[in-house]
């Protein structure tokens, strides 16, 4: 069981990029806890999105923590730039890090919180040796690359096992889940053990962000009260 208050991390991938500052102001006023920023390189994932200049621009217009999800082949080469741009968390895919311990240290040397993420097909065992150094564990509930995909149900069990690993090892890492999260499966994701819910299309495709975020919070609270 996990009774920590759940955080909501809207993914700006689903925002209107032509009006990004307005979108961010609206989402901050609506009660978001983190701003999730999806960085894709067209190589590790089949899509291209944004780089450090946008993170730097975002840092100037919001006080929300910037939760930067690096879906890129060679994260070590870009960690200094993303750190200087103002990232709060830098989360790397284990699939892209042959020297994951070194990569985590590099993130921390730059004064940034270190996140580790796993694709749906990647086993949790890769986390065990580095969990003590992680500030955040991100479980992907879709194959990364695009917003608006369907949540993969087999991931519920993986979230529960990740929660066990975090509890068992006394890790301080937040457990975040990303991909296909909607109001109607949020309670299940929280019940499985999530601390942070990433949601892109489920928030930005609605007209009232505050109401939507509130609905996510109610679902999360309901999940906790059932499990208590
Ligand atoms: C997928 C990204 C997600 C995505 C979530 O590769 O990492 O953060 O934006 O979008 P939704 O909530 O629409 O699945
Ligand atoms: Zn993401």
């Amino acid at each position: 069981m996990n009774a920590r208050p759940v955080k909501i991390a809207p993914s700006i991938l689903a925002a209107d990029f032509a009006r990004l500052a307005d979108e961010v102001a609206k989402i901050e006023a609506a009660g978001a806890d983190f701003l999730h920023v999806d960085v894709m390189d067209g190589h590790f994932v089949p899509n291209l999105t944004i780089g450090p200049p946008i993170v730097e621009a975002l840092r100037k217009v919001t006080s929300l923590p910037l939760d930067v999800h690096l879906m890129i082949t060679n994260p070590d080469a870009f960690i200094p730039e993303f750190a200087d741009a103002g990232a709060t968390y830098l989360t790397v895919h284990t699939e892209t890090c042959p020297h994951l311990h070194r990569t985590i240290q590099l993130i921390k040397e730059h004064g940034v919180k270190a996140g580790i993420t796993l694709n749906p097909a990647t086993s949790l065992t890769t986390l065990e040796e580095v969990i003590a150094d992680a500030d955040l564990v991100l479980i992907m509930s879709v194959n990364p690359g695009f917003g608006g995909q369907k949540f993969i149900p087999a991931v519920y069990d993986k979230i529960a096992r990740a929660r066990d690993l975090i509890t068992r090892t006394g890790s301080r890492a937040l457990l975040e889940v990303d991909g296909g999260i909607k109001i109607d499966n949020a309670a299940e994701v929280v019940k499985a053990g999530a601390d942070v819910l990433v949601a892109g299309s489920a928030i930005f495709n609605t007209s009232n962000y505050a109401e939507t975020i509130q609905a996510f919070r109610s679902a999360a609270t309901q999940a906790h009260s059932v499990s208590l």
Side-chain angles (χ1 to χ4, degrees):
M1 190 203 67
N2 163 40
R4 287 194 267 188
V6 170
K7 295 182 191 298
I8 310 297
S11 163
I12 59 158
L13 189 59
D16 180 350
F17 279 5
R19 301 174 37 251
L20 199 48
D22 287 355
E23 292 275 70
V24 169
K26 271 169 69 182
I27 213 71
E28 186 165 2
D33 298 295
F34 287 173
L35 201 62
H36 186 82
V37 181
D38 285 310
V39 176
M40 305 187 185
D41 67 351
H43 188 258
F44 174 59
V45 290
N47 198 2
L48 274 172
T49 54
I50 64 177
I54 304 288
V55 172
E56 196 178 343
L58 289 169
R59 186 63 295 159
K60 290 181 185 145
V61 298
T62 182
S63 57
L64 288 175
L66 298 179
D67 169 28
V68 179
H69 177 190
L70 296 178
M71 288 161 274
I72 62 178
T73 296
N74 185 7
D76 293 25
F78 295 96
I79 284 165
E81 238 185 298
F82 279 108
D84 290 351
T88 311
Y89 287 87
L90 280 174
T91 297
V92 292
H93 273 262
T94 60
E95 301 85 3
T96 65
C97 295
H99 307 289
L100 182 56
H101 182 271
R102 180 189 289 155
T103 302
I104 293 168
Q105 304 317 314
L106 182 65
I107 294 171
K108 295 189 159 191
E109 278 163 22
H110 284 84
V112 178
K113 292 182 179 170
I116 306 172
T117 182
L118 307 170
N119 278 341
T122 303
S123 165
L124 278 179
T125 54
T126 60
L127 265 185
E128 282 178 12
E129 309 302 332
V130 285
I131 188 74
D133 292 326
D135 297 300
L136 182 141
V137 168
L138 170 56
I139 301 295
M140 290 307 299
S141 41
V142 296
N143 289 293
F146 302 95
Q149 302 183 81
K150 245 176 101 55
F151 188 96
I152 300 169
V155 172
Y156 287 122
D157 184 64
K158 191 178 188 185
I159 299 166
R161 284 181 286 119
R163 167 54 56 199
D164 275 356
L165 175 66
I166 288 171
T167 307
R168 181 159 41 86
T169 56
S171 159
R172 67 185 172 290
L174 289 172
L175 182 55
E176 182 175 58
V177 183
D178 181 9
I181 300 183
K182 311 284 174 203
I183 289 163
D184 59 12
N185 62 9
E188 205 61 36
V189 177
V190 171
K191 228 183 287 174
D195 296 310
V196 186
L197 303 180
V198 176
S201 49
I203 294 178
F204 284 102
N205 292 355
T206 62
S207 54
N208 187 329
Y209 301 162
E211 255 174 44
T212 309
I213 289 177
Q214 192 44 51
F216 271 105
R217 283 199 203 288
S218 307
T221 309
Q222 176 206 336
H224 278 329
S225 55
V226 169
S227 63
L228 283 173

